[in-house]
Amino acid sequence: MDLHADQGGTSPHPRWESMAAREPGGWPVGRLLSAASRRVERDWNGHLAAWDLNHASQPVLVILLRGPSTQAELAALCEITEQTMSRVLARLERSGYVTRTAHATDRRKQVIAATDAGRTAVLAASDPEAAEAMVTDGLTAEQVEQLKALLLVVARKSTPTP
């Protein structure tokens, strides 16, 4: 399909061809960031798979290293819905990494705690140097600092202020 062809009297944007290309050089920033994020997530999930973890379950166990929490608290800290957190916790429970017990004062809630196996797995899987190396491989120290600074600006922009 010729993206530059006139269709119905409208003239397509001149960047459409490069935006649709396999080579990312002409992609808009949003698409580049999304593609980079997916690549990092795939690599990180590959690393975490050795412990039956993924990018969604690993941070939950890291949070639970501080102590037990409720599903709602975990969902809020991970910035996901309670329904999504329920699925993450079900997987962690099947792996033997968390337990759920009745809340002491609220029968509607459960208290989630990491098991010894969960603590062992997350400590082994969560090597910050391995995670950093996956993302920054091929970058100079200066480029890594630039990337961090730019990502902080983008991340903070989308974060609602209290």
Side-chain angles (χ1 to χ4, degrees), residues 1 14 17 23 25 29-30 35 49 53-55 57 60-61 68 79 84 94 114 124 132 135 143-144 159:
M1 175 178 165
E17 192 70 43
E23 177 55 40
V29 173
L53 295 171
N54 62 26
H55 72 281
S57 58
V60 173
L61 282 177
E79 297 182 355
T84 300
R94 281 192 305 274
E132 192 85 358
V135 176
Q143 289 171 325
V144 170
T159 303

Side-chain angles (χ1 to χ4, degrees), residues 12-88:
H13 192 286
R15 287 191 57 208
W16 282 10
E17 192 70 43
S18 62
M19 288 168 36
R22 273 179 110 35
E23 177 55 40
W27 292 357
V29 173
R31 183 170 180 202
L32 284 169
L33 188 56
S34 179
S37 175
R38 284 192 311 276
R39 197 248 336 138
V40 169
E41 186 177 300
R42 278 192 308 271
D43 291 352
W44 188 235
N45 280 340
H47 168 78
L48 294 173
W51 295 274
D52 195 26
L53 295 171
N54 62 26
H55 72 281
S57 58
Q58 183 260 355
V60 173
L61 282 177
V62 169
I63 292 167
L64 290 173
L65 289 175
R66 295 186 287 196
S69 190
T70 67
Q71 180 174 315
E73 291 165 341
L74 290 168
L77 288 168
C78 292
E79 297 182 355
I80 61 174
T81 66
E82 285 192 55
Q83 293 84 354
T84 300
M85 181 56 68
S86 178
R87 289 189 297 274
V88 171

